[in-house]
Amino acid sequence: MAASSPLGAGVVLHGHGVRKRQLWGPLEPDGEPRLTVVQVRRYLCTACGKAVTVSPSEALPGRLYTASAIALALALYGLKRLASAAVRALISPMLVVGATSAARWLTLKRWCGVVGTPALFGRARRAKAGPRRVAAEAAASLAAHALPSLEPPPLHVQAFLGAARAG
């Protein structure tokens, strides 16, 4: 860890270019699944030599799907009890699915396995039960991060909206 610069000292982060980043999933809770490409800004720390990437809050490190898309998938699977293949059709922008994967979505199962851990939404509540219960509890926990409104939307929409704020 590099020592922090004192107030009034020179800037230690300098522009280091941009790179493209894919974000998978719908842009709205009821939207079509999309593959969106955004430009993210990179900075280089002159004190420690490490690069820092600044991206939208919906972008999760090491994940193609947005935080909102993952939260919506968990809510649809855990709260609305949709089949994993139906959830994939609503979340994944990939239209071609192999024959052996047509009836299930392994990515959703992987998310259920790590949600509520440092790997994915570390502060989300994690049930000690099956994948549907894990998904339902995590989605409800993420929904709590949505901004309050006079007429709250359905819980799956609140999970979508709260995920990017859940940090």
Side-chain angles (χ1 to χ4, degrees):
M1 193 83 11
S4 62
S5 298
L7 188 61
V11 176
V12 295
L13 287 180
H14 293 276
H16 193 57
V18 294
R19 64 178 268 239
K20 292 180 181 179
R21 168 85 197 267
Q22 290 184 11
L23 299 176
W24 294 14
L27 301 177
E28 304 169 338
D30 297 324
E32 292 291 318
R34 306 181 81 168
L35 189 156
T36 307
V37 178
V38 296
Q39 295 270 0
V40 295
R41 187 81 171 105
R42 291 174 45 99
Y43 295 91
L44 185 64
C45 177
T46 56
C48 70
K50 297 206 177 193
V52 177
T53 303
V54 179
S55 57
S57 59
E58 291 87 358
L60 296 173
R63 306 233 176 242
L64 290 171
Y65 286 90
T66 64
S68 298
I70 294 171
L72 182 60
L74 294 170
L76 294 173
Y77 182 69
L79 299 172
K80 296 199 92 173
R81 312 213 31 100
L82 296 181
S84 62
V87 174
R88 178 197 314 203
L90 294 170
I91 303 298
S92 176
M94 300 298 118
L95 300 176
V96 178
V97 177
T100 58
S101 299
R104 62 181 195 264
W105 193 20
L106 291 178
T107 301
L108 179 60
K109 184 177 180 182
R110 283 188 213 108
W111 291 336
C112 290
V114 297
V115 71
T117 72
L120 182 64
F121 300 127
R123 289 190 273 174
R125 196 170 52 223
R126 180 167 177 78
K128 296 185 189 308
R132 276 202 198 269
R133 179 68 183 212
V134 167
E137 295 245 348
S141 179
L142 293 169
H145 292 278
L147 292 173
S149 62
L150 293 176
E151 293 183 32
L155 201 54
H156 71 281
V157 174
Q158 289 182 50
F160 179 91
L161 298 171
R165 297 174 45 83

